[in-house]
């Protein structure tokens, strides 16, 4: 049993996104966090102080722990943002903004 | 003025939907503003449409109630009485000098574009969020909130991992553990710090809810069916792993809430779903000037009609105190009827909502009893090592918080924040405030957050002039 | 902050000091401040003299306490968008230089070297190396700790104790009496109320300011940067909202954008007009900020006196009472000098500056208290 089977889900056609340049499968309707979880990835940010890995914590957009860079835009909440075909998801380092 | 009075409802969970429905049934024009893609809130969170779920009810309880609610709302939407603004994240509500309201929101999941809604009255149904008290290792990837694991399951149809420990305290843990198991996860243990006997102490209030007893029996059956081991009066004392969770240490609690020596054991798992109850979202109400009260001083105070003490502002559901979906429905219904009458300049007749008022009274008693039974274990704060991160955003440790209290003399959450940065980060202290309060002995007070969520400066600069 | 500095310098002058506050440390305007230690925004005169004295003392404290108070001698950069503004700015800087301020004109093509992300098309600016920054709440807490003064937080002063000769002999609080031959009023925005308890008039009024705090960023803004019209706002007597933002990065990451000025009493409610103007002004200086998120905003209440100068020194109307309040938006910056001057007068030494312009009783004689 898996959740998609349990809910008798029939999603649209699967597509590919990349996580740190690696291809990862996705289906329409999934959030960035769901795609990464389904691929066995639990961390996609390193903190700006100690450089520790973080991923989903609250899952509902309150804690901001799951911040990630999508298509070059930093600080997106992975638990809220839906994936689109071809999305380039990257581990976010520190503030997510390039240092000059 | 020929235009009908206009109500803005913030939040499309059970309270907001019940309020919108009751008001629209009585001729009020309603705009329902909600952050999600679909109505439902946390309790009735729906799978994303594109996932094509044909049996979403497999993930839910009280589906019939939901269907009735949804059908009512859809009827009003089709008739143009309710406008449902999805993907609208409200960051402030302001009351103008002419007593009208403006709701300020950010659109889309990216939250980069502003939007405003004008209204004559506002119903705040902003719900709540989970409280998690820290323990060593709680920042490891793989440690998620119990509600978060459930939200990802219901909304995105995904599991956090294969082998899960569900832990903490509160009535949410049961549905999370059984829900994850039904969806295919192996639930290695359900670890509840409250004792079954503590639940019995609230027996009169609990026994007054036959529905809840039946629900409890159903969950007991589910635990058996999925062979979930329940460890009551136990607590997770540490999460292990280097870059992700690999195991937790669980220990038995003595009567005084402290760890029973020699009782620690290790359970291997890739996910820990943990929670210690809920806290109300009160930011919008606080900025509007509504008085907060409640057992912890962190819920919006309302009267019998669900009115706050700011004219034109009603509140219902978890934002007025944690009490679950059924209570939210009752409160929302009463609020909607009150609003419909008051917007016509008429005092409502409370007899018209007598059944909802009775349910409200009963459920409030029930949840007060639950809250007492499900208190976090004594001494949790003493078990925090100095190097444990307490503020996840700003990476402030328990040691730094203790120093601020002991040697710099901080005696309230705001001063601890100023001295340590705990609570200054992205989440604005929503996650760490209960922990900081527990560590320092400060009262847990609602933080002042004029922006209920981060707002791009470009959106602020482009605000309409009024 | 001013109280903490008074405590520090009085203790260092050998006095036994108690500090009483009805709230926590930094619970008033200090906790809402940005920690600006500015000489750049002050025209020649007594306030600038006090700012220069304070800057020297802050620099010494910075050496002593360093990172514990997040002291950063980052310098200020005042920019002018148009040539006329630049001419006025240069004239202003010339006057300051004569009064002892370091002020270096910066040509338009040199601005990007100081601030790479500054908006293009500026006419030019002036660089003020003496401008600096501290984290105000930490500074107040650390100064109090270093002073060794006994701290009574959560104690509310309810009256002034008087000796047989009528001179101040301490304070009465809700938790008991504290006896002392000298009482220093460092109650900031509430300094007028404390003066009233002693039976004297000090017309301190609140001037509200909002500050915007962004998400954490790498160091994109290096100095305290503001537009030349900021000085006009500071000096203005207008009750209406005025905003010309000061933009600065912080050691902790967020950019601070402050602050609006309006006279609306102690109203803390969110003013979208104020935050809109702050955001627009900040984006005008640093266009990259448009997509940066504000995580929070908060209001503080600057204590201002009608002539925009603080009250510092003994009050001849109430012997034994000294005032150290009414610094408007510059209290953090002017705290050290104020503390030093108070310590000198408490110990009978000649003060480093002439205190005549700061006399607390000046509003009784010249009738200058109409807001």
């Amino acid at each position: 049993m898996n959740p998609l089977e349990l809910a008798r889900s029939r999603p649209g056609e699967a597509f590919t996104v990349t996580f740190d340049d690696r291809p990862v499968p996705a289906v329409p309707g999934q959030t960035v966090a769901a795609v990464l979880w389904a691929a066995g990835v639990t961390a996609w940010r390193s903190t700006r102080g100690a450089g520790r890995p973080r991923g989903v914590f609250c899952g509902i957009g309150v804690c901001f722990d799951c911040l990630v860079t999508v298509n070059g835009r930093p600080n997106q909440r992975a638990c809220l943002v839906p994936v689109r075909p071809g999305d380039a998801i990257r581990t976010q380092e520190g503030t997510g903004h390039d240092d000059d | 003025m020929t235009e009908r009075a206009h109500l803005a409802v913030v939040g499309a969970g059970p309270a907001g939907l019940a309020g919108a429905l009751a008001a629209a049934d009585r001729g009020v024009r309603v705009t329902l503003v909600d952050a999600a893609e679909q109505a439902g809130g946390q309790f009735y969170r729906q799978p994303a449409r594109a996932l094509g779920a044909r049996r979403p009810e497999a993930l839910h309880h009280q589906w019939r109630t939901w269907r009735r609610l949804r059908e009512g709302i859809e009827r009003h939407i089709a008739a143009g009485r309710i406008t449902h603004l999805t993907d609208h994240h409200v960051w402030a509500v302001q009351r103008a000098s002419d007593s009208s309201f403006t709701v300020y929101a950010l659109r889309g999941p990216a939250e980069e574009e502003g939007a405003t809604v004008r209204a004559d009255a506002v119903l705040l149904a902003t719900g709540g969020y989970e409280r998690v008290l820290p323990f060593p290792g709680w920042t490891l990837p793989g440690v998620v909130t119990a509600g978060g694991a459930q939200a990802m399951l219901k909304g995105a149809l995904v599991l956090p991992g294969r082998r899960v420990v569900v832990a903490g305290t509160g009535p949410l843990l049961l549905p999370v553990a059984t829900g994850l198991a039904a969806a295919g996860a192996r639930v290695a243990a359900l670890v509840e710090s409250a004792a079954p006997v503590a639940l019995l102490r609230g027996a009169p209030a609990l026994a007054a809810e036959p529905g809840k007893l039946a629900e409890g029996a159903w969950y007991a059956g589910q635990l058996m069916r999925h062979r979930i081991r329940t460890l009551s009066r136990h607590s997770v004392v540490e999460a292990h792993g280097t870059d992700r969770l690999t195991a937790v240490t669980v220990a038995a609690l003595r009567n005084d809430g402290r760890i029973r020596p020699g009782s620690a054991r290790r359970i291997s798992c890739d996910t820990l779903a943990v929670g210690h109850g809920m806290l109300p979202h009160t930011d919008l109400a606080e900025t509007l000037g509504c008085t907060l009260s409640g057992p912890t001083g962190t819920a919006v105070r309302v009267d019998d009609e669900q009115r706050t003490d700011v004219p034109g502002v009603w509140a219902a559901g978890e934002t007025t105190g944690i009490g679950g979906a059924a209570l939210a429905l009752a409160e929302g219904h009463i609020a909607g009827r009150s609003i419909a009458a008051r917007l016509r300049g008429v005092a409502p007749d409370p007899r018209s909502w007598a059944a909802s008022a009775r349910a409200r009274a009963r459920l409030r008693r029930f949840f007060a009893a639950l809250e007492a039974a499900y208190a976090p274990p004594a001494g949790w704060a003493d078990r925090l090592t100095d190097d444990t991160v307490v503020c996840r955003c700003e990476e402030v440790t328990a040691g730094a918080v203790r120093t601020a209290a002991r040697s710099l003399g901080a005696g309230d959450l705001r001063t601890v924040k100023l001295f340590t940065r705990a609570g200054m980060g992205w989440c604005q202290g929503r996650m760490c405030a209960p922990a900081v309060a527990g560590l320092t002995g400060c009262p847990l007070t609602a933080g002042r957050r004029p922006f209920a969520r981060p707002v791009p400066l470009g959106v602020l600069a482009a605000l309409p002039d009024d | 902050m001013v109280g903490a500095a008074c405590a520090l310098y009085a203790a260092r002058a050998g006095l036994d000091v108690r500090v009483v506050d009805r709230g926590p440390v930094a619970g008033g305007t200090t906790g809402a401040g940005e920690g600006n230690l500015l000489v750049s925004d002050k025209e020649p005169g007594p306030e600038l003299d006090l700012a220069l004295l304070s800057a020297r003392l802050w620099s010494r404290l910075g050496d002593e306490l360093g990172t514990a108070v997040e002291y950063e001698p980052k310098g200020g950069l005042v920019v002018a968008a148009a040539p006329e503004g630049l001419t006025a700015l240069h004239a202003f800087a010339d006057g300051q230089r004569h009064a002892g301020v370091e002020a270096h004109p910066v040509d338009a093509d040199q601005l990007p070297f100081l601030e790479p992300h500054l908006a293009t098309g500026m006419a030019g600016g002036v660089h003020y190396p003496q401008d600096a920054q501290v984290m105000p709440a930490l500074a107040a807490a650390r100064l109090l700790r270093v002073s060794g003064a006994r701290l009574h937080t959560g104690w509310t002063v309810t009256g002034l104790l008087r000796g047989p000769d009528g001179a101040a002999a301490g304070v009465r609080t809700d938790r008991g009496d504290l006896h002392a031959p000298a009482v220093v009023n460092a109650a900031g925005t509430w300094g007028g109320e404390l003066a009233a308890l002693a039976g004297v008039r000090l017309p301190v009024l609140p001037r509200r300011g909002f500050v915007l705090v962004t998400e954490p960023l790498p160091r994109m803004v290096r100095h305290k940067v503001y537009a030349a019209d900021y000085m006009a706002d500071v000096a203005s007597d207008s009750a209406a909202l005025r905003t010309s933002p000061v933009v600065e990065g912080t050691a902790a990451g967020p950019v601070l954008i402050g602050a609006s000025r309006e006279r609306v009493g102690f109203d803390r409610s969110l003013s979208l007009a104020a935050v809109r103007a702050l955001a627009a002004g900040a984006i005008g200086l640093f266009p990259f900020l448009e997509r940066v998120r504000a995580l929070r905003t908060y209001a503080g209440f600057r204590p201002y006196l009608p002539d925009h100068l603080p009250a510092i020194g003994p009050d001849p109307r109430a012997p034994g009472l000294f005032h150290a309040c009414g610094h408007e938006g510059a209290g953090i910056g002017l705290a050290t000098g104020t503390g030093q001057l108070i310590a000198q007068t408490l110990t009978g030494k000649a003060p480093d500056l002439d205190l005549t312009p700061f006399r607390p009783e000046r509003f009784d004689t010249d009738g200058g208290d109409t807001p």
Side-chain angles (χ1 to χ4, degrees):
Chain A
M1 180 60 74
N2 71 43
L4 292 161
E5 286 167 23
L6 180 67
R8 293 211 196 120
S9 168
R10 246 194 329 216
E13 203 175 325
F15 54 82
T16 301
V17 298
T18 62
F19 173 62
D20 290 344
D21 301 320
R22 269 192 297 130
V24 176
V27 293
Q30 283 181 312
T31 58
V32 169
V35 165
L36 296 177
W37 268 14
V41 178
T42 53
W44 46 81
R45 179 168 80 90
S46 76
T47 60
R48 72 183 209 279
R52 295 295 298 151
R54 297 282 177 87
V56 167
F57 183 61
C58 84
I60 61 169
V62 177
C63 78
F64 294 83
D65 240 9
C66 67
L67 295 177
V68 67
T69 298
V70 182
N71 300 328
R73 283 220 312 253
N75 296 314
Q76 306 293 307
R77 277 170 285 179
C79 72
L80 297 185
V81 176
V83 281
R84 293 190 177 81
D87 274 352
I89 305 161
R90 289 206 157 274
T91 295
Q92 177 168 321
E93 311 279 345
T95 64
H97 298 269
D98 291 335
D99 214 330
D100 60 341
Chain B
M1 210 169 112
T2 54
E3 201 173 69
R4 279 179 303 155
H6 188 180
L7 166 68
V9 177
V10 183
L17 293 176
L21 190 57
D25 280 347
R26 285 155 191 83
V28 178
R29 199 158 51 93
V30 179
T31 301
L32 185 54
V33 192
D34 189 65
E37 181 216 28
Q38 293 172 77
Q42 302 305 337
F43 189 79
Y44 288 119
R45 180 183 284 271
Q46 302 299 309
R49 262 201 200 90
L51 288 171
R54 288 169 300 150
R55 204 167 71 99
E57 61 270 32
L59 302 159
H60 282 274
H61 300 287
Q62 289 140 45
W63 188 256
R64 249 184 319 190
T65 310
W66 164 247
R67 219 166 45 198
R68 267 204 309 275
L69 204 54
R70 190 189 56 194
E71 282 163 9
I73 296 286
E74 279 170 358
R75 208 173 52 241
H76 284 302
I77 290 174
R81 283 182 295 265
I82 293 182
T83 307
H84 182 188
L85 301 177
T86 57
D87 277 319
H88 277 61
H89 305 255
V90 176
W91 57 269
V93 181
Q94 291 276 283
R95 186 169 185 263
S97 48
D98 66 354
S99 303
S100 72
F101 294 89
T102 307
V103 177
Y104 296 89
L106 298 168
R107 289 167 60 181
E111 299 183 40
E112 285 175 346
E113 228 183 296
T116 57
V117 175
R118 299 281 192 154
D120 304 298
V122 177
L123 170 57
L124 301 173
T126 47
Y129 59 98
E130 211 164 359
R131 171 173 61 181
V132 183
L133 300 170
F135 46 88
W138 78 309
T139 53
L140 280 171
V143 179
V144 298
T145 68
Q150 189 183 44
M152 294 276 290
L153 171 59
K154 286 180 181 176
L157 304 180
V158 66
L159 288 170
R162 303 309 306 167
R163 193 175 156 85
V164 185
V165 169
V166 178
T169 189
L172 181 63
L173 301 186
L174 269 176
V176 170
T178 54
L180 290 172
R186 173 80 192 99
V187 177
L190 169 57
V191 183
E192 165 61 72
S193 63
V197 65
L199 285 175
L200 289 177
R201 253 180 244 131
L206 302 182
E209 282 299 299
K212 294 285 177 189
L213 286 181
E215 205 177 299
W218 186 84
Y219 280 124
Q222 290 293 301
L223 290 173
M224 295 240 296
R225 183 177 156 204
H226 296 293
R227 294 198 300 273
I228 299 173
R229 177 168 45 145
T230 305
L231 300 169
S232 55
R233 215 191 287 162
H234 275 66
S235 186
V236 167
V237 293
E238 189 171 356
H240 307 280
T242 46
D243 285 338
R244 63 178 292 172
L245 182 74
T246 53
V248 294
T249 295
V250 170
L253 301 168
R254 298 188 315 202
N255 281 343
D256 63 0
R258 295 183 186 269
I259 297 297
R260 189 181 296 282
S263 68
R265 64 179 122 160
R266 209 174 156 109
I267 302 175
S268 71
C269 57
D270 59 15
T271 304
L272 172 66
V274 61
H276 300 98
M278 304 258 297
L279 289 170
H281 273 301
T282 54
D283 306 324
L284 299 176
E286 210 279 338
T287 305
L288 274 164
C290 303
T291 299
L292 304 185
S293 65
T296 51
T298 50
V300 181
R301 192 173 77 190
V302 288
D303 66 7
D304 284 347
E305 290 180 35
Q306 300 295 137
R307 286 183 298 179
T308 71
D309 55 359
V310 172
V313 181
W314 280 255
E318 309 286 39
T319 186
T320 67
I322 300 307
L327 178 57
L329 287 170
E331 292 185 348
H333 180 77
I334 293 169
R337 280 178 173 261
S338 163
I339 291 163
R342 297 279 172 194
L343 281 178
R344 286 197 315 271
V346 179
D349 179 3
R351 283 172 304 185
S352 67
W353 63 63
S356 292
R358 278 196 303 276
R360 179 177 64 182
R362 219 176 51 229
L363 288 162
R364 280 182 183 165
R365 277 198 303 276
F366 176 78
F367 275 89
L370 276 193
E371 181 153 304
Y374 283 122
W380 65 265
D382 304 335
R383 290 197 283 274
L384 276 189
T385 52
D386 270 346
D387 62 350
T388 305
V389 165
V390 169
C391 168
R392 304 173 66 97
C393 301
E394 295 297 301
E395 301 173 84
V396 182
T397 61
V401 169
R402 286 180 176 128
T403 302
R406 280 183 199 153
S407 77
L408 293 177
D412 62 289
L413 290 181
R414 177 172 179 267
T415 311
V416 175
K417 176 173 85 176
L418 286 172
F419 290 170
T420 65
R421 303 193 55 76
M424 277 197 191
W426 276 99
C427 91
Q428 289 291 292
R430 288 176 179 90
M431 291 296 124
C432 68
V436 172
L439 266 176
T440 54
C442 305
L444 176 63
T445 45
R448 195 179 285 132
R449 302 185 189 100
F451 298 157
R453 54 186 73 239
V455 191
L457 289 168
V459 170
L460 290 178
L463 282 174
D465 222 340
D466 55 9
Chain C
M1 183 70 243
V2 174
C6 290
L8 177 72
Y9 290 103
R12 288 193 170 170
L15 299 177
D16 179 16
V17 183
R18 303 284 185 100
V19 178
V20 187
D21 198 307
R22 66 178 172 189
V25 171
T29 307
T30 300
E34 306 151 82
N36 284 331
L37 316 179
L38 300 186
V39 297
S40 57
D41 65 336
K42 293 170 183 70
E43 60 183 340
E47 197 191 9
L48 180 57
D49 296 339
L50 180 58
L52 287 165
L53 168 66
S54 298
R56 286 195 295 276
L57 294 168
W58 269 121
S59 169
R60 268 179 241 157
L61 286 177
D63 293 340
E64 192 183 325
L65 301 168
T67 53
V69 298
E70 297 180 14
Y71 176 80
E72 235 190 317
K74 55 164 62 169
L77 179 65
V78 184
V79 295
E84 311 82 70
L86 187 61
T87 309
L89 175 61
H90 280 156
F92 188 75
D94 284 342
Q96 291 173 313
R97 252 191 309 275
H98 288 297
V101 174
E102 289 178 52
H104 310 299
V106 183
D107 292 340
D109 59 350
Q110 297 300 304
L111 286 173
F113 295 102
L114 288 174
E115 285 295 343
H117 301 285
L118 189 70
T120 53
M122 294 283 173
V126 174
H127 179 221
Y128 292 88
Q130 288 155 308
D131 284 355
Q133 181 169 358
V134 288
M135 200 297 186
L138 281 176
R142 292 287 170 183
L143 260 57
L144 285 170
R145 202 165 145 69
V146 177
S147 77
R150 282 238 348 238
L151 194 55
H152 302 280
T153 49
W155 291 35
T156 303
V157 172
T158 56
L160 193 75
L161 301 176
R162 291 184 192 271
D165 56 351
V171 290
R172 172 148 293 165
T173 80
D174 60 345
R175 309 258 195 110
D177 292 350
L178 290 170
H179 297 276
V183 174
V184 178
N185 171 17
T189 315
W190 299 270
E193 293 165 36
L194 198 126
L197 290 177
V200 295
R201 212 173 124 272
L202 192 65
V204 185
L205 287 168
R207 196 176 188 192
R208 183 173 75 178
F210 277 97
V211 173
L212 284 170
V213 186
T214 72
E215 64 185 90
L217 296 166
R219 197 39 87 89
M220 311 275 276
V221 180
R222 299 176 180 179
H223 302 79
K224 291 183 173 282
V225 182
Y226 58 93
D229 35 342
Y230 174 77
M231 277 88 84
D233 281 3
V234 173
S236 138
D237 277 323
S238 165
L241 172 65
R242 301 181 71 94
T243 47
S244 49
V246 178
V247 182
E248 62 189 300
T250 59
V255 166
L256 301 184
I257 302 163
S260 56
R261 290 168 189 271
E262 57 192 317
R263 294 212 302 262
V264 290
F266 284 105
D267 179 3
R268 218 174 252 292
S269 56
L270 174 63
S271 161
L272 288 181
V275 300
R276 176 180 60 216
L278 283 176
I283 292 168
L285 289 172
F286 290 96
F288 80 89
L289 288 172
E290 182 170 11
R291 293 183 65 170
V292 167
R293 282 157 207 272
L295 297 190
R296 69 177 180 279
T297 183
Y298 55 83
F301 300 99
R302 303 179 188 84
Y304 85 95
L305 284 161
D307 58 2
H308 302 283
L309 287 177
I312 303 172
D315 192 326
R317 303 164 300 179
L321 178 65
F322 296 73
H323 296 281
C325 58
H327 296 73
E328 202 164 338
I332 310 298
L334 303 179
T336 47
T338 303
Q340 168 114 317
L341 294 170
I342 288 288
Q344 286 164 340
T345 53
L346 285 170
T347 53
K349 295 209 176 75
D352 286 347
L353 297 178
D354 174 16
L355 294 182
T356 312
F358 307 120
R359 285 175 308 124
E361 74 280 16
R362 63 190 188 271
F363 304 104
D364 284 352
T365 49
D366 60 18
D369 59 334
T370 36

